[in-house]
Amino acid sequence: MEVETPCLVDEPIPERFIDAPPVGDRYLAPSPEVHMKQLLAAGFDRIFQVSKCFRLGERGARHLPEFTMLEWYRTGADYRDLAADAHGLLKAAADALGLPEPASCRGNTVMLRGMPEFIAVDDAFRTHAGIELADEPDAFVFDAALVERVEPRLGLRRPAFLHDYPSCFCPMAKRTQERPARAERLELYIAGLEIANGCTEIADPALQERTLHAEQDARIRQGKDPYPWPAAFMNALRSLPPCAGMALGIDRLLMALTDTASIDGVVAFA
Amino acid sequence: MYEVGQLKKGMKVQIDGEPYLITDYEFAKPGKGQAIYRMRMKNLITGSNLDRSYRSGDKFDAADTVSKAMEFLYVDGHHFCFMDPDTFENYLAEDEVMGDKKYYLMPNMKVDVLLFGERIIDVQLPPFVVLKIVQSDPGVRGDTATNVTKPAKLENGLEVQVPLFINEGEWIKVDTRTSEYVERVKR
């Protein structure tokens, strides 16, 4: 079911590296997650929406401070189901545009409809960056190696899902059964471009409270304003069924499908 | 002082005491991750490139380079001496900084010198200079479709390609950036 949630929010989910633009005493939504999960808790089981999201200070060849996101959730599902959803959507979009197989994309020829590659974060860092990741890697070393060496090698011949991220970088994702230091989170890459991020959601209120406190503390240490505690969201979490959700950047998908180098090329006003 | 987010391609910063020109600047931010600023910078002293990533909050001093109009005085071995006409102070440039530009220097020539502290890191020549041809064989009309130029040796020692109608002893205008013939000059 298609849903609509507010653009103006009182209590954005605190995340250390995502800044919501303040408007009066509220914020422009950096993501619709806080409200969509309340709808899941209220009994809706498969929901999606296309909405504008806002991020302070994000501008570059792949970033707009206002962008379009497709976000969807499924109850009784995990992150593997999201990968199937995302790839199904990618195939349908490629068909609708009449793209050849393989299609040229950012200097590569990619089998968009081909079987996606699944590569765990630990394996990707070992193979592409020569880095053996600790349980809790240093955030700057991780992010710098990711953008410099790992991302440019993902999804060059077929779509790639990078999965099982260090849990310390996943405040919303359920921990994996085998290794609690890794979380059930995955990202879709096409020709080195990050397209979508999804995870099996944390449905354990105690764990969620710990991860959000850690995010809030990290914001304060960085000298950022802490957000109001997301009380309505935390309250809904008590009745949230097991679920998984994914956020796909429509502008990024268009960049990949139309072989466009800069995000400025897929919007009329940048 | 600049924060990394304020930097742009073309700006000059100082790293480990040396001046760098930003030749590439890219904003990256992986999902849920932090902003990473990927920069390629050219060391203005050595000319070598440096690729580095920075994070929000990293700060830089502006490279205090100053451009000054100066006069070329003389060459002494591998050092080229310039004078600031306001202070009469002399500055020396190394051979590596001058490169092929040294062929165009003439006593009392006005140039723009880029200083980093007391050190000359670049010299901007006038874009065009007039030079005398000291040696050039008369043009031979052969295959005129392709062979319409001939070599000519200039008074500064450089050799350029000139049209066939240019003769030894004449003066020509040369582009100092490309070392190419521009036009004949009557003297």
Side-chain angles (χ1 to χ4, degrees):
Chain A
M1 186 171 79
E2 184 170 6
V3 300
E4 193 173 274
T5 60
C7 271
L8 272 181
V9 299
D10 296 311
E11 301 163 349
I13 291 171
E15 290 198 43
R16 65 186 73 194
F17 296 126
I18 294 182
D19 296 327
V23 179
D25 56 356
R26 291 199 273 184
Y27 300 89
L28 288 173
S31 132
E33 180 166 2
V34 65
H35 288 112
M36 289 184 80
K37 281 192 181 163
Q38 290 178 58
L39 292 176
L40 295 173
F44 296 97
D45 59 358
R46 289 194 299 161
I47 53 176
F48 77 94
Q49 76 172 319
V50 176
S51 65
K52 284 300 184 80
C53 295
F54 303 87
R55 305 277 172 93
L56 207 59
E58 297 192 10
R59 185 67 175 102
R62 302 171 177 201
H63 294 268
L64 289 171
E66 173 180 345
F67 61 99
T68 307
M69 189 101 98
L70 165 63
E71 185 144 333
W72 73 92
Y73 290 87
R74 285 177 176 277
T75 57
D78 68 18
Y79 68 151
R80 292 169 197 87
D81 302 305
L82 299 173
D85 284 344
H87 191 231
L89 185 124
L90 179 62
K91 284 191 283 194
D95 287 345
L97 287 170
L99 293 183
E101 185 84 338
S104 64
C105 180
R106 304 173 70 82
N108 299 282
T109 47
V110 186
M111 304 284 286
L112 292 173
R113 301 165 184 85
M115 189 67 178
E117 176 192 13
F118 283 83
I119 182 165
V121 170
D122 286 277
D123 295 334
F125 273 69
R126 192 179 304 117
T127 307
H128 299 312
I131 293 175
E132 203 63 44
L133 289 177
D135 276 356
E136 288 192 22
D138 175 82
F140 179 68
V141 172
F142 182 87
D143 286 337
L146 182 59
V147 301
E148 285 170 8
R149 286 179 275 169
V150 180
E151 284 190 338
R153 297 185 174 87
L154 296 177
L156 303 187
R157 295 208 167 68
R158 50 205 180 108
F161 286 100
L162 187 62
H163 63 91
D164 291 10
Y165 279 67
S167 298
C168 53
F169 306 141
C170 308
M172 311 307 288
K174 185 185 168 187
R175 279 56 183 131
T176 64
Q177 196 102 54
E178 316 80 66
R179 190 177 172 194
R182 295 296 177 261
E184 294 193 1
R185 175 182 154 206
L186 84 182
E187 296 240 11
L188 167 61
Y189 282 88
I190 300 171
L193 188 63
E194 178 196 355
I195 307 286
N197 169 64
C199 67
T200 312
E201 306 291 342
I202 290 180
D204 167 5
L207 173 60
Q208 184 73 87
E209 187 156 342
R210 281 202 304 279
T211 66
L212 293 190
H213 272 302
E215 293 302 300
Q216 195 77 290
D217 291 347
R219 290 187 65 82
I220 294 166
R221 278 200 307 276
Q222 292 172 54
K224 293 176 177 172
D225 287 335
Y227 293 136
W229 185 248
F233 168 76
M234 289 304 298
N235 193 38
L237 209 66
R238 285 187 285 169
S239 39
L240 185 73
C243 63
M246 195 152 204
L248 181 147
I250 297 283
D251 313 286
R252 297 267 188 91
L253 179 65
L254 286 176
M255 286 170 71
L257 294 178
T258 60
D259 196 8
T260 304
S262 168
I263 197 164
D264 297 46
V266 297
V267 293
F269 302 96
Chain B
M1 189 82 108
Y2 297 106
E3 199 267 338
V4 62
Q6 300 172 302
L7 295 175
K8 284 187 177 67
K9 198 166 150 174
M11 288 170 81
K12 291 188 205 116
V13 294
Q14 196 169 316
I15 297 166
D16 302 330
E18 299 205 322
Y20 286 84
L21 172 72
I22 300 171
T23 54
D24 259 312
Y25 179 89
E26 194 187 315
F27 173 84
K29 193 170 187 289
K32 308 274 175 195
Q34 64 198 297
I36 301 284
Y37 299 85
R38 302 181 65 187
M39 303 206 304
R40 168 163 289 185
M41 295 160 292
K42 189 180 169 200
N43 185 311
L44 291 173
I45 293 171
T46 65
S48 60
N49 282 317
L50 177 68
D51 291 314
R52 266 197 201 167
S53 292
Y54 296 92
R55 67 183 113 185
S56 294
D58 283 346
K59 292 193 170 64
F60 295 82
D61 282 323
D64 52 353
T65 54
V66 184
S67 182
K68 269 193 168 173
M70 290 199 193
E71 238 179 80
F72 174 62
L73 295 182
Y74 58 87
V75 55
D76 171 18
H78 292 294
H79 291 96
F80 297 80
C81 186
F82 297 86
M83 180 187 70
D84 181 342
D86 299 328
T87 62
F88 303 107
E89 215 170 310
N90 288 4
Y91 294 85
L92 293 178
E94 311 270 336
D95 209 22
E96 306 85 74
V97 172
M98 295 307 302
D100 281 349
K101 292 173 182 172
K102 66 183 171 199
Y103 295 112
Y104 294 102
L105 288 174
M106 306 272 205
N108 307 317
M109 183 184 252
K110 306 255 186 301
V111 297
D112 283 319
V113 166
L114 192 64
L115 284 175
F116 177 66
E118 296 288 296
R119 185 171 189 162
I120 294 181
I121 57 174
D122 194 20
V123 173
Q124 196 115 39
L125 299 171
F128 303 105
V129 293
V130 173
L131 292 163
K132 189 179 179 182
I133 293 173
V134 293
Q135 197 270 313
S136 188
D137 294 333
V140 181
R141 289 219 173 263
D143 176 10
T144 51
T146 56
N147 189 20
V148 293
T149 61
K150 59 170 186 172
K153 197 166 182 194
L154 302 170
E155 58 178 313
N156 65 359
L158 279 184
E159 194 175 273
V160 297
Q161 290 292 317
V162 296
L164 297 181
F165 60 81
I166 303 283
N167 299 311
E168 198 170 298
E170 288 188 299
W171 299 77
I172 60 166
K173 188 190 266 189
V174 176
D175 188 324
T176 60
R177 294 156 296 190
T178 58
S179 287
E180 279 172 2
Y181 164 89
V182 180
E183 61 187 6
R184 177 155 61 178
V185 178
K186 295 271 184 223
R187 282 248 166 153

